[in-house]
Amino acid sequence: MSYEPLHGTRVLDLTAVVVGPAATWRLGQYGAQIIKVESPGGDLMRGLGGLSPTGQHAGAYLHLNRGKRNICLDLKAPGASGVMERLVAWADVIVANMRPKALARLGLDPETVRAGHPGKIYCLLTGYGSDGPYGGFPTYDSVVQGAVGLPGLALERDGTPGYVPLLICDHVVGEIAAGAILAALLNRHRTGKGVTLEVPMFETMATMVLQEHLAAQSFDPPAGPYGDQRLLSPHNRPMRTKDGFIAVTINTDPQVRAFLAATGRGHLATDPRFASVAARAVHVAEWFEIRGAPLTDRTTDEWLKIFRTADLAAMPVHSIESLSRDPHLTAVQLMTQEDHPTEGRTTVLRSSIRADDAPLPPRGPAAPRGWDTRAVLDELGYTGAEAAALLDRGVAVAHSSAPDRT
Amino acid sequence: MSYEPLHGTRVLDLTAVVVGPAATWRLGQYGAQIIKVESPGGDLMRGLGGLSPTGQHAGAYLHLNRGKRNICLDLKAPGASGVMERLVAWADVIVANMRPKALARLGLDPETVRAGHPGKIYCLLTGYGSDGPYGGFPTYDSVVQGAVGLPGLALERDGTPGYVPLLICDHVVGEIAAGAILAALLNRHRTGKGVTLEVPMFETMATMVLQEHLAAQSFDPPAGPYGDQRLLSPHNRPMRTKDGFIAVTINTDPQVRAFLAATGRGHLATDPRFASVAARAVHVAEWFEIRGAPLTDRTTDEWLKIFRTADLAAMPVHSIESLSRDPHLTAVQLMTQEDHPTEGRTTVLRSSIRADDAPLPPRGPAAPRGWDTRAVLDELGYTGAEAAALLDRGVAVAHSSAPDRT
């Protein structure tokens, strides 16, 4: 028996691009039944982020949309609202990351939906909280990164502002939204009540950044400058080895002694500037210069053996290519392969979580647009003739290769 | 009535540093009752990451440990195991991020705990999955960053490997673990069963990175190179303005046309290389050079007005200081102030999530080490004399300023 905490929970997915799909992907890994509604124009992410054989399932789309059925509807067409009413009635949870005004035009905003269905859980993902002056502004991951200070921190450390090379705000806020939905389901168990959740990207990432980097300015009067000075040291970077880069971190006093001994600088271990956590916090700049010094007299593999023997935390600096071949990931089979309905042989990425020693099942492949249109209309109670009329009028669109399940 | 989905849920928190405290912080925001067990040596994070008036509540510690009571126990002392047995019996959920061998020595590993209490939920946070060859290796955030390719991606983009200037792996894995615990509570509602969860940092972050950057190598045969080429463009960075930097992102065709018009390059909108998502994906290098070109003829504020009028996603590149004064964050009161028991006036950072239009309450301040030792021993059924004996023998330690609640 696979572990399916959300077995029987129904999620109506009105999301696109990354933050919403990341949230519903996580719910799918827990066994939720998900129906994703996609416009005939399609989720922008199908084509962004790289090529695929048909041009319709770029890697990020492929991996973030596992475990979801797909109905293609033209929400602006007369007649679509009837289908949406049945989908809303079907769902326990509605997730949307459209802008609030667009949802309101369609009658799919949280107020309208919960007025008719107070027991539903509605999770709205926004760029900026609708209770503040930026409410309703459009956004994307990198704009949130800029707003919450990630390139600003890089500017302080490196002298030039760089984005995190990952859609990190989308991913993180998606995960937090998935958690908020899980909590709301528990709340419904406890109280019988639905809820409207709003998870704003800007505030969510700002909290995360400020938790770390408000630092000594968390006190009144301030105890020191803004920013975790360890992370902002220009020496806080992977060390160069003879043949690449290595990531090593040392925090406790025994680790510091072991690291200095392993790198031939044991005499520094008794230097009062570096002998304790508190002393190193005061002398952070000098300390980071020492611990970040190049290690070019040995290869990465040689250093890994030495540091691991000393029980220090160390790993090679992987490229995406070497990461995909990492022996640990290979052993735990994080990646497997399957045949996708339209893209041929593809990689399957599963959730990393293990429950009672077994990984969560990866669920089914990302569906082509409209793959389940006919099946979902059937499940919603439309007769064959009614479904055919919706398809004829372009209210609903079915994928040309999808199995005809009606 | 505040929204408390985890009202009545009891969490035994055996975590330290960041990843575990981030997970239990989130559960606390949902109203869980949390007891954090801290060693007399203390959570390393109290002193890392910046100064505080007493040296005991550096900013990150302060913010990530809200909403938790604190009992200080010397787990290695004879007699501590009896207290731990009562704490385990008290809890619905046990969360730990000690290394598996250290937990086993204390009889607090998942196998031992769940053999005696099969209905409990035990969440173990590890660096590397215990089912793979790196199982048991020590780790820290930056080492995981190196292992999953974050500085490797920066190396490819910038020519030099840089860490994300945030303990991003700790934060993200903490949030995902909180979600996994919420799902396990739902599973217990549905099936009556407990579960042992393992959330390994390396695999969890590897999945997130590979979801985006396996990209065209997700297909067999590959459809192109590793990596989302948009994110890896050296031109994918905030644009310099007359007085700072601005973050702007454009993805759809209408956004591209509006951006080119707003920046005086409208003639490029009809260039077939840039006229569609698909065309820009093919000509990604040239396109990113155009969209990343400096905007030094106007100030950041001037550009923000122009881009917002055009309904484009744009924000200033904040420093931590300017972020903490952002008008939107001020309006939504993300930060408030309170008196901390030992640190004086401090900033309160709440969760960003809103439920039925109200923010989640921020819960109580981070407790000094041993602040609740006496109260918790009392709650666990120890008599005054028994508690005094535990304190005399150094099995339990109470904070000197804590209220005597026995």
Side-chain angles (χ1 to χ4, degrees), chain B residues 343-359:
Chain B
E343 306 291 340
R345 201 81 185 144
T346 56
T347 300
V348 177
L349 274 166
R350 64 167 169 84
S351 161
S352 60
I353 296 168
R354 295 195 307 138
D356 286 339
D357 287 328

Side-chain angles (χ1 to χ4, degrees), chain A residues 235 237-242 244-250 259 263 265 290-296 300 307 317, chain B residues 161 163:
Chain A
H235 301 289
R237 50 178 63 254
M239 291 87 132
R240 189 181 280 282
T241 65
K242 193 187 273 185
F245 292 91
I246 191 169
V248 191
T249 298
I250 47 202
F259 174 75
T263 55
R265 294 171 293 183
I290 288 164
R291 57 169 266 188
L295 299 169
T296 41
T300 298
F307 291 140
V317 169
Chain B
Y163 293 125

Side-chain angles (χ1 to χ4, degrees), chain A residues 42 69 86 106 123 136 152 175 179 195 200 204 206 212 235 241 266 279 336:
Chain A
R69 287 187 292 167
R86 293 197 199 186
L106 298 166
C123 181
E175 292 286 353
V195 69
T204 301
E212 276 185 61
H235 301 289
T241 65
T336 50

